[in-house]
Amino acid sequence: MKLQFLGAQEGVTGSCYHIQSDKTSFLIDCGQFQGSSEEERKNREPFPFDPKSLDFVVLTHAHIDHTGRLPRLVKEGFTGRVFMTRGTASLSDILLKDSGKIHEVETEKENEKRLKAGLDLIEPYYDVNDVINTLQYFNPLPYEETYKITNDISVKFLNAGHLLGSAHVYLTLEGKSLLFSGDVGTYHSQILLPPRPAIQADYIFVESTYGNRLHKQMNIRFDRLADIILETIENKGTVIIPAFSVGRTQDIIYGLNQLDRPLSHIPFYVDSPMAINATKVFEKDLDGMKPEIIQKIKGKKHPFEMKNLQFIDDASTSYKLDYSKVPKVLISASGMCDAGRILHHLKTYLEKETTSIVFVGYQAEESQGRKIQNKKDIMIYGEEVKNRANVFTLHGFSGHADQEELLEWLTNVRPKKLFLVHGDFEAIEAFNKKIKERYKFDTYIPRLYETIEL
Ligand SMILES: [Zn+2]
Ligand SMILES: [Zn+2]
C-alpha cells in the first residue's frame, strides 16, 4: 500500500494522510492548515487525488486542524462515509459550522475590498451549507470496538484523552497494522481519562507537538488562577480569560469549581454561544470522561457550570458587560484574541490598569494575544488600544502530552517503523533523539507531500 503525507509535517496543522491499497483509497484526518497566510494558502492546493474516487475518511478528533478540509472534500464530490467517535461527531458539528461561518464572514470582507479595487470576487473556502452537506456522511462508532469497513479493512478507536471524543486510530489492512496517535492528551486532565497507551502495530504515526518540552505547574494552575482572580476583584478590576470555547472553557470552570476558595461572590461570564453548545455536548457524550465527572453529570450536578456563572448567548448582553462597572471574570473567545467577542471586551478593558488578562493557552507568533503578552498596544477594529493591563501567562492547561508523557505512550510497542509528525522542527528533532536513546526504534520524519510504500 502507498501512504502520502498531506499535512502536519514540518508543522502542527493540516493533519491528513492518504492511504491507497489495491482496492481502496481513504484518508485519516482531513485537517485545515492554520496560522500564517503561507500555511493557509496550502488549504487551496488541489487534493492530489480525485475526491469522488475516495472511499472513506477516518477522523481522530474534532479540532479544525484535523477536520477543516472535510467540507471542501465534500464540495469537490466526496460521498463516502466519515468514521469517528460519537464525541467527535457532536463536536465536529459545532466546530465545522463555526468554521464555515468564519469562512463566509472573511470572504465577505475580502470581497468588499476586491469590489473597490475592481478585482474578481472569490468564493468562501466552504460555507455553512457545505458543512451541513458534510454531516450526512458522518458514521459515529464507539471506542474499543473493531469495525469492519470493508472485507479487508477494519478500524478501532482508542481513547486519546486530548479532547472529548479524541481517539488513536488502529487500522488493519492487507495483513498489516497501523496506529495513528492523533493528538495525544496529557495524563493530568481533570475531565478526561488519560490516553490509552499505544498498542502494538507494524507502523505507528505519533504526534510530537511538545516533543521538546515538559509541562510545569500542572498541580498549582487553578490555585494560581484563583489568586489572580481574587486579587484583581479586590482591586475593583475585571479579569479577562481568552479561551477556546470547546474544551478549555469547560476545563477552567470545572477546575475553579473544585477549589476550596471563596469565589462565589464574584460574577463569572462565559461569553460565547459556541461554549453553550459545547457544554451541552460535554454533558451528553460521556465516553472517555472520568467516572467522577460522569457521576456528577448523571446526578445533575452540572460540573461545567457555577451558581455565579452566566452563559451569554446574544450579542447585546455581551456588549452590556463592557458598560457595567462591577468587577467580574469574563471567559471569552477566541483564545488568541484574533476574532470574536473577546475583541470588544479588550477594547474596553485593556486600557485599564485594574484589568488582568490571563492567558491559559498557546499564543501563536503573529497573534494579537502574543502582542498583549509582550506588553504591546494592539489594534482593534482599526483603532489603537493601549495595553495598561496586568498580563499573566499560566502554564499547565495544555491538552497535549509533554515529552515524558509521549515517551510513556510508546512503552508497550515495538513498531517496524515509527513516523514522527505534528511538530515543529525543534520539537520533532528533540523527541526523535529521546526515542532513539530510550527505545532504539527505527524512526522516520516525513516531509509534507512525501509518499512512502508500506
Ligand atoms: Zn487537537
Ligand atoms: Zn492537532
Side-chain angles (χ1 to χ4, degrees), residues 268-419:
F268 278 75
Y269 298 94
V270 170
D271 185 18
S272 153
M274 191 154 75
I276 300 172
N277 293 331
T279 302
K280 282 185 197 144
V281 173
F282 273 73
E283 295 202 343
K284 178 179 75 91
D285 290 298
L286 307 179
D287 298 347
M289 277 198 194
K290 288 192 164 172
E292 59 263 36
I293 308 273
I294 296 178
Q295 212 175 11
K296 284 193 171 96
I297 291 169
K298 291 201 165 148
K300 300 258 173 284
K301 292 218 172 92
H302 303 294
F304 311 119
E305 295 175 24
M306 293 159 97
K307 270 204 194 73
N308 45 324
L309 179 143
Q310 208 185 319
F311 284 88
I312 310 285
D313 191 1
D314 65 304
S316 66
T317 314
S318 167
Y319 279 105
K320 273 187 204 146
L321 293 173
D322 297 341
Y323 298 114
S324 138
K325 293 207 164 58
V326 181
K328 56 193 155 294
V329 178
L330 284 171
I331 304 169
S332 188
S334 73
M336 291 195 210
C337 307
D338 284 319
R341 293 180 178 179
I342 186 99
L343 289 180
H344 65 248
H345 299 315
L346 288 171
K347 195 155 186 270
T348 305
Y349 290 106
L350 193 63
E351 302 193 323
K352 297 188 195 326
E353 281 162 13
T354 51
T355 300
S356 294
I357 315 282
V358 189
F359 289 102
V360 289
Y362 175 74
Q363 302 301 307
E365 206 113 326
E366 287 163 35
S367 64
Q368 294 261 60
R370 179 67 73 95
K371 286 186 195 134
I372 297 172
Q373 272 182 326
N374 291 339
K375 295 298 292 170
K376 293 204 178 98
D377 301 334
I378 58 167
M379 297 293 287
I380 299 178
Y381 309 136
E383 277 175 49
E384 192 183 64
V385 179
K386 291 262 175 267
N387 181 359
R388 297 195 187 94
N390 306 291
V391 180
F392 301 89
T393 299
L394 296 187
H395 299 284
F397 286 87
S398 171
H400 282 272
D402 69 5
Q403 186 187 63
E404 197 44 54
E405 291 173 320
L406 283 171
L407 287 166
E408 203 176 316
W409 187 75
L410 291 165
T411 311
N412 303 326
V413 294
R414 283 225 134 271
K416 281 188 191 142
K417 195 159 240 168
L418 178 77
F419 297 89

Side-chain angles (χ1 to χ4, degrees), residues 147-161:
Y147 180 84
K148 260 181 121 103
I149 297 177
T150 68
N151 266 341
D152 52 11
I153 304 178
S154 71
V155 67
K156 182 157 80 168
F157 292 104
L158 308 166
N159 171 49

Side-chain angles (χ1 to χ4, degrees), residues 65-66 183 422:
D65 64 311
H66 293 255
D183 288 358
H422 201 295

Side-chain angles (χ1 to χ4, degrees), residues 26-29 56-62 66-67 81-89 92 137-149 153-161 163-172 178-183 193-199 287-288 409:
F26 61 96
L27 300 182
I28 306 289
D29 280 344
F56 60 88
V57 177
V58 182
L59 299 179
T60 61
H61 66 291
H66 293 255
T67 63
R81 285 184 291 173
V82 184
F83 300 100
M84 75 286 271
T85 66
R86 290 190 281 245
T88 296
S92 295
Y137 302 111
F138 276 22
N139 190 331
L141 297 171
Y143 281 115
E144 297 286 342
E145 279 179 29
T146 303
Y147 180 84
K148 260 181 121 103
I149 297 177
I153 304 178
S154 71
V155 67
K156 182 157 80 168
F157 292 104
L158 308 166
N159 171 49
L163 173 74
L164 184 78
S166 65
H168 315 310
V169 171
Y170 177 75
L171 262 181
T172 53
L178 285 72
L179 179 70
F180 299 87
S181 75
D183 288 358
L193 289 170
R196 177 100 139 65
I199 57 171
D287 298 347
W409 187 75

